[in-house]
Amino acid sequence: KKRVFSGVQPTGNLHLGNYLGAVSRFVALQEHYDCIYCVVDMHAITVPQEPEALTRQIREVTAAFLASGVDPQKHIVFNQSQVSEHAELAWICNCVARIGWMNRMTQFKDKAGKDRENASLGLYAYPSLMAADILVYRADAVPVGEDQKQHVELTRDIAQKFNNDYAGSIAAHGFGEAFFPLPEPLIQGSSTRVMSLRDGTKKMSKSDPSDYSRINLKDDADTIAQKIRKAKTDPEPLPETAEELAARPEADNLVGIFATLAERMPEDVLREFAGSQFSSFKAALVDVAVAKLAPISAEMQRLAADPGYIDSVLADGSRRARGIARETMNAVKDIVGFVRDR
Ligand code: TYM
């Protein structure tokens, strides 16, 4: 079986974009891949985090994975900081990646803002740690939303350069032509970029100051209904074709959300609602959203009452992840030429 790796940051509330673009995909991939899903707590501290909130959010993201249907017995669920090989391989990745590559990362530019001199060195090196996350399991595929595509491409560049720079040593140690597989980004479905409910040109994000811009996985049914009713739309009824829809960002976003939640094609949703007013479409959207999300938030709440169980899932996952990561790291140390304690 091929191996999948992906990660989610334990910062702020998980929202519908994270769920549709990533976590629901994690669940779907379990059937055909060996999956490793990671709560990337070391990535979280690239910007300041309040320690107690970080602890709570690590458990919350874990609960969201489980409540959505990730199976921690058949697959691996853990938090990044507990497998120190991520940090070790990240150093090697830092030494393979070029400064020019990092300077092209658009997420760093967005997150660092104007005061770039004052951003943490960790925020700058963030994509290199992400490459290490993926490569330490020699993963074949990485399910992510559209916004992470550039980081997965950078991971491929780092893997490729390592394979080239150390080609002789890789062969000499019996690993053949290439040590790291080049991971494929899996950016699939109708919701690879869920937009803000307040502005169809902005991505739905954890950091938007308006809570009405997003649906949180923890929102109750009334809150979900209210946010959808207040979502920005244009005054026209829903169009007939995908082309007409594409020119209307807010409408496009809501139809995409409906389609993914209902596990239908956007064209099929349009066929049902072409000519309808948004008031009736939104009522139907509330129904599918609540039907899909209410059981998840109820299960998250149930799990929140038992942090001991969550912690035991993470501990078991870390132990299993470490087994794989250590093997890769030993090989990498040999390839690089470090002397190892044996
Ligand atoms: P993060 O924590 O910001 O987001 C987690 C996942 O949710 C996706 N996502 C979205 N998808 C659709 N629409 C949106 N509006 C939306 N917002 C977020 C993200 O694309 C992501 O898949 N760097 C990563 C975490 C990470 C990682 C990794 C991912 C660290 N190491 C290794 C994959 C492999 C991040 O910040 O995601």
Side-chain angles (χ1 to χ4, degrees), residues 159-160 162-172 174-181:
Q160 177 93 63
F162 181 92
N163 289 341
N164 290 343
D165 290 356
Y166 291 102
S169 185
I170 288 169
F175 294 110
E177 301 230 319
F179 181 70
F180 289 122

Side-chain angles (χ1 to χ4, degrees), residues 5-9 15 17-18 21-22 40 43 126 130 133-134 142 144-145 147-148 191-194 203-204 206:
F5 180 92
S6 196
V8 174
Q9 293 199 66
H15 54 67
N18 299 129
V40 291
H43 275 105
Y126 177 121
M130 177 160 162
D133 296 340
I134 298 166
V142 184
V144 282
D147 63 337
Q148 295 299 318
S191 291
T192 59
R193 189 174 171 82
V194 176
K203 183 177 77 162
M204 184 178 285
K206 296 167 189 164

Side-chain angles (χ1 to χ4, degrees), residues 114-165:
K114 284 208 176 67
D115 193 10
R116 206 177 287 181
E117 291 285 301
N118 213 14
S120 74
L121 183 54
L123 189 65
Y124 188 61
Y126 177 121
S128 180
L129 175 59
M130 177 160 162
D133 296 340
I134 298 166
L135 298 178
V136 85
Y137 302 101
R138 300 214 266 170
D140 302 289
V142 184
V144 282
E146 185 67 44
D147 63 337
Q148 295 299 318
K149 185 169 185 219
Q150 192 184 36
H151 290 158
V152 181
E153 283 165 353
L154 178 86
T155 303
R156 294 170 62 90
D157 291 342
I158 291 175
Q160 177 93 63
K161 189 165 190 310
F162 181 92
N163 289 341
N164 290 343
D165 290 356

Side-chain angles (χ1 to χ4, degrees), residues 309-321:
Y309 170 69
I310 295 285
D311 291 6
S312 73
V313 166
L314 290 174
D316 175 62
S318 301
R319 190 182 49 72
R320 288 154 61 209

